[in-house]
Amino acid sequence: MNRIVAVVGMCGSGKSVVTEVFRGRGWDTVYFGGVTMKILAEEGLEKTPKNEKTVRERLRSKYGMAAYAVTLESEIREKAEKGPVVLDGLYSWSEYKYLYDRLDGNLTLLAVIANKADRYSRLTGREVRPLTPDQARSRDIAEIENLEKGGPIAFADEYIVNFGSLGALKEQTERFIASLK
């Protein structure tokens, strides 16, 4: 099985940019949020924060806090047999523990860190699903309290500190990928 890296961090930290750099280097991607989008499409539901939350809560009610890892384990394994894989969207400590155990420890956590002011500024200005600073703060608190999001960030194997430019973030990511070889 090839290397598997999970990119973790708070909303607006730069996880999507980091994941795109991996993809540009030929890594396959497993997007955890794709599970939610697929269910919304299958059920003919509009992509709204309320519907997304309902689907996420239903999945976690059925499978526990590791729901997305449980749902995606076979896809992750299948892709890892063919090449390296980056996981986009691992949130909870339970998801990490579930996958780490089932992948025989072949899971590296890469946390992307940025301060709140920078993250909230990015979230306010983004084109897709922008958030006000109050919405971002509420989301941060909910993700830490309800989704076990802090655990994987605190327990990361490596950190990328995103306090600079987009170019600097990409350069740090390139260095990290190069260090894996």
Side-chain angles (χ1 to χ4, degrees):
M1 184 177 304
N2 290 285
R3 186 176 291 272
I4 302 168
V5 173
V7 179
V8 298
M10 299 303 290
C11 189
S13 63
K15 297 181 305 293
S16 297
V17 171
V18 168
T19 300
E20 283 302 316
V21 174
F22 274 88
R23 189 174 298 141
R25 290 285 172 218
W27 288 56
D28 208 342
T29 305
V30 175
Y31 175 53
F32 281 45
V35 173
T36 302
M37 298 306 150
K38 180 180 176 189
I39 292 170
L40 289 172
E42 289 171 354
E43 296 180 3
L45 297 171
E46 187 179 351
K47 292 179 185 176
T48 65
K50 181 181 178 189
N51 287 341
E52 291 173 28
K53 181 180 179 184
T54 300
V55 168
R56 286 192 304 267
E57 288 176 352
R58 187 172 12 134
L59 278 172
R60 290 190 175 106
S61 174
K62 182 175 181 179
Y63 297 109
M65 285 304 292
Y68 286 79
V70 171
T71 305
L72 293 169
E73 179 186 0
S74 62
E75 179 182 347
I76 294 166
R77 287 180 168 284
E78 183 179 304
K79 288 183 175 188
E81 290 300 326
K82 297 174 185 170
V85 178
V86 61
L87 307 182
D88 180 6
L90 183 143
Y91 268 42
S92 76
W93 181 244
S94 295
E95 288 171 340
Y96 168 73
K97 290 189 312 182
Y98 178 91
L99 288 174
Y100 186 86
D101 290 345
R102 282 158 183 80
L103 299 172
D104 299 322
N106 181 26
L107 179 59
T108 301
L109 286 175
L110 174 62
V112 185
I113 304 298
N115 64 45
K116 281 192 291 190
D118 287 344
R119 291 189 303 105
Y120 292 3
S121 175
R122 291 176 193 141
L123 293 169
T124 300
R126 73 181 181 183
E127 291 183 24
V128 178
R129 295 188 308 186
L131 298 174
T132 67
D134 285 341
Q135 290 171 322
R137 184 178 188 282
S138 293
R139 181 173 171 172
D140 278 355
I141 291 168
E143 288 180 347
I144 291 167
E145 291 180 347
N146 303 327
L147 298 181
E148 306 175 348
K149 195 167 187 180
I153 297 168
F155 199 66
D157 298 292
E158 296 288 338
Y159 291 86
I160 290 178
V161 179
N162 184 12
F163 291 164
S165 68
L166 184 61
L169 175 60
K170 290 178 178 180
E171 286 176 23
Q172 288 182 74
T173 305
E174 293 283 2
R175 282 195 302 273
F176 173 75
I177 294 169
S179 77
L180 297 174
K181 295 179 181 178

